[in-house]
Amino acid sequence: MREMDPMDAAPINAAATPTTRRTQRFVRSTAVLFAATTLACGGDGGPVDPTVLDPAPVIVSVIDIENFGDARDVEVTLRETGNAADVVEYRVFVARASAVDGGMPLAGTFERVQPASGHIVVRLSAAVTDEAGDALRQNVQYVAYVQAWTGAEAESPVSVVSSTFTLATTDIVESVAPLSAGTGGVAVDADGNVYVADFGTQLSGGTAGSTVYRVTTEGDVSVFATGLSGASGNAFDSRGNLFQSSIGGNTISRIAPDGTVTEFASGPAIVGPVGIAVAPGDTLFVANCNDNTIARVTPEGAASIFSSSALFACPNGIALASDGNLYVANFGNGTVIRVAPDGTASVFVTLPTNNLGHATFGNGVLYIAARGAHRIYEVTLDGTSRVLAGTGVRGRKDGAALHATLSFTNDIALTPDGTVLYFNDVDPSTPGTNTISPSWLRRLRLEEARTP
């Protein structure tokens, strides 16, 4: 796909200028196949004889790029199919879907782009209007279509319309706050505050982190608790206590709502603890990275081995799903292990990465941090996976989820209402894979919350 220079996409309206592309998000649009009978409009708006026209251009996709809530959200990709030598320019129109039943009205402010070989990309400007001259707005279904302007209306074929699309302001990645912390656990309380644990400066070696930070939705950062040793995974119980793993101290600490830290569980069943999942009744399940086991901790703090398997490769993230199974993300590879209520482990799904972060369950699906791939995946309980955020290139570019860049994403946590997914990234300026501090708390505003 070739992207046009902004000057090539200048609209007819001189006051309208294309925006610089920051991010993209595929909206409800699919490739439209070229119709056998080409539709065009004559100078009076009526159909003209398609037999005298070259084949019309084809719209390949419509993309929401900026989430501004106006025409700047729209990028149209087209390909020419006729004799481009006869085309002066391509004109991109947008209309309400309800307005094209009787034919495509060549009305409203349109965008133009010069002919080129292969795929042609044109980014719309805020001045583009629909067929009635109204600005594009949210919650309205639109279609796009392209006219190959040859200098005469009757000889300028028009494409088939695109699939319907709407302007989106969701599925957006945002950076919330920078942190002088290594990427440890992330948990969200009932009020929407986020608790981020400092693992330390490096994955191996370096200084172990001792602090848990509290971050408000506005990005204000404060110290919530200290006195830990390599603060890794964490999770809240039903009473508002935060249970925090200390991988360096082989302990699970209970942190009261006022920040008071007490040791809750330790011993031979707690070896290199990382992720924590809280079951009904406040029983804890803990992923032990150092000995490839899952521990169960009673509400009284008694720890025992629940599951041990050669399938575990430094179990990192752990989540309890609505089907009663635990789902464990391996730090040492891309495999998610399903652990049945009797402790039996089996391979659930393998994601395309060599290194997984943490996992959480909500909206009827699992959210998995593919740390080594710089992506977040959504996985249904039947094992179907899709990329939810990230291009696979390391970075910290905010914007539409599938076009934002992430950096060794480690832990993820869902807000109680299921609309926002918080996660922590290593600052992309850090070298290699061992250095994990400083970091960023980021969030993904989800398009829609699914229900189980």
Side-chain angles (χ1 to χ4, degrees):
M1 182 183 299
R2 191 178 76 84
E3 185 166 311
M4 297 297 295
D5 183 88
M7 293 304 294
D8 293 336
I12 288 292
N13 186 340
T17 57
T19 59
T20 301
R21 178 183 181 187
R22 293 172 52 236
T23 56
Q24 314 178 69
R25 176 184 176 275
F26 279 96
V27 294
R28 300 170 181 86
S29 175
T30 58
V32 180
L33 299 178
F34 174 67
T37 302
T38 301
L39 173 64
C41 294
D44 60 357
V48 296
D49 183 0
T51 62
V52 301
L53 302 178
D54 283 332
V58 171
I59 292 182
V60 175
S61 66
V62 180
I63 301 172
D64 183 350
I65 59 173
E66 293 278 9
N67 293 279
F68 286 125
D70 57 30
R72 290 175 295 167
D73 280 354
V74 181
E75 177 178 276
V76 178
T77 299
L78 61 115
R79 62 179 175 86
E80 56 195 16
T81 61
N83 184 1
D86 296 333
V87 178
V88 177
E89 64 190 19
Y90 291 106
R91 297 180 174 183
V92 182
F93 292 84
V94 175
R96 291 169 298 157
S98 60
V100 298
D101 291 342
M104 288 162 281
L106 298 178
T109 306
F110 55 86
E111 200 85 28
R112 67 181 181 186
V113 62
Q114 298 302 308
S117 59
H119 288 86
I120 303 170
V121 178
V122 54
R123 290 167 288 184
L124 306 189
S125 64
V128 169
T129 61
D130 64 18
E131 82 295 337
D134 296 327
L136 273 60
R137 60 186 187 275
Q138 298 178 44
N139 302 318
V140 175
Q141 287 194 329
Y142 294 101
V143 293
Y145 44 95
V146 181
Q147 181 184 37
W149 179 252
T150 63
E153 194 77 35
E155 298 174 358
S156 300
V158 181
S159 73
V160 176
V161 297
S162 72
S163 296
T164 59
F165 66 91
T166 57
L167 304 183
T169 56
T170 51
D171 260 10
I172 303 300
V173 171
E174 302 170 324
S175 294
V176 178
L179 296 167
S180 297
T183 49
V186 177
V188 183
D189 69 13
D191 296 323
N193 297 304
V194 187
Y195 297 77
V196 187
D198 180 7
F199 185 95
T201 57
Q202 296 178 324
L203 287 173
S204 59
T207 302
S210 61
T211 304
V212 176
Y213 295 94
R214 177 166 48 201
V215 186
T216 67
T217 56
E218 292 77 25
D220 298 325
V221 180
S222 60
V223 172
F224 173 62
T226 59
L228 306 158
S229 178
S232 45
N234 51 24
F236 280 99
D237 71 359
S238 63
R239 300 181 180 182
N241 297 303
L242 181 67
F243 286 88
Q244 177 67 60
S245 291
S246 285
I247 192 171
N250 294 321
T251 58
I252 305 296
S253 297
R254 179 171 56 199
I255 308 176
D258 65 359
T260 302
V261 178
T262 57
E263 184 176 307
F264 179 69
S266 60
I270 306 296
V271 184
V274 190
I276 299 176
V278 181
D282 292 337
T283 294
L284 308 183
F285 291 92
V286 180
N288 285 322
C289 174
N290 287 4
D291 69 352
N292 293 322
T293 63
I294 305 300
R296 177 167 50 196
V297 184
T298 68
E300 295 73 37
S304 60
I305 298 299
F306 173 69
S307 181
S308 178
S309 172
L311 296 175
F312 296 133
C314 181
N316 191 23
I318 184 169
L320 179 64
S322 59
D323 62 1
N325 295 311
L326 290 166
Y327 292 86
V328 179
N330 280 336
F331 187 81
N333 55 38
T335 302
V336 180
I337 307 301
R338 179 168 50 204
V339 182
D342 65 357
T344 302
S346 60
V347 172
F348 172 59
V349 68
T350 299
L351 300 176
T353 180
N354 60 358
N355 171 210
L356 293 177
H358 287 239
T360 193
F361 179 81
N363 300 326
V365 299
L366 290 159
Y367 299 100
I368 311 287
R371 186 180 181 277
H374 313 299
R375 280 177 162 160
I376 296 172
Y377 279 81
E378 177 190 279
V379 185
T380 61
L381 294 183
D382 66 1
T384 302
S385 64
R386 73 178 182 99
V387 177
L388 184 64
T391 64
V393 175
R394 186 185 182 193
R396 191 179 65 83
K397 181 177 71 174
D398 289 348
L402 291 176
H403 298 274
T405 54
L406 314 184
S407 175
F408 294 116
T409 301
N410 182 51
D411 202 0
I412 52 180
L414 199 63
T415 55
D417 64 3
T419 62
V420 179
L421 190 69
Y422 281 92
F423 60 96
N424 56 359
D425 273 2
V426 177
D427 190 289
S429 66
T430 61
T433 61
N434 191 49
T435 302
I436 59 172
S437 179
S439 60
W440 279 85
L441 178 65
R442 305 176 74 188
R443 65 186 167 212
L444 169 60
R445 296 186 182 275
L446 298 171
E447 178 178 9
E448 58 185 10
R450 299 183 182 179
T451 56

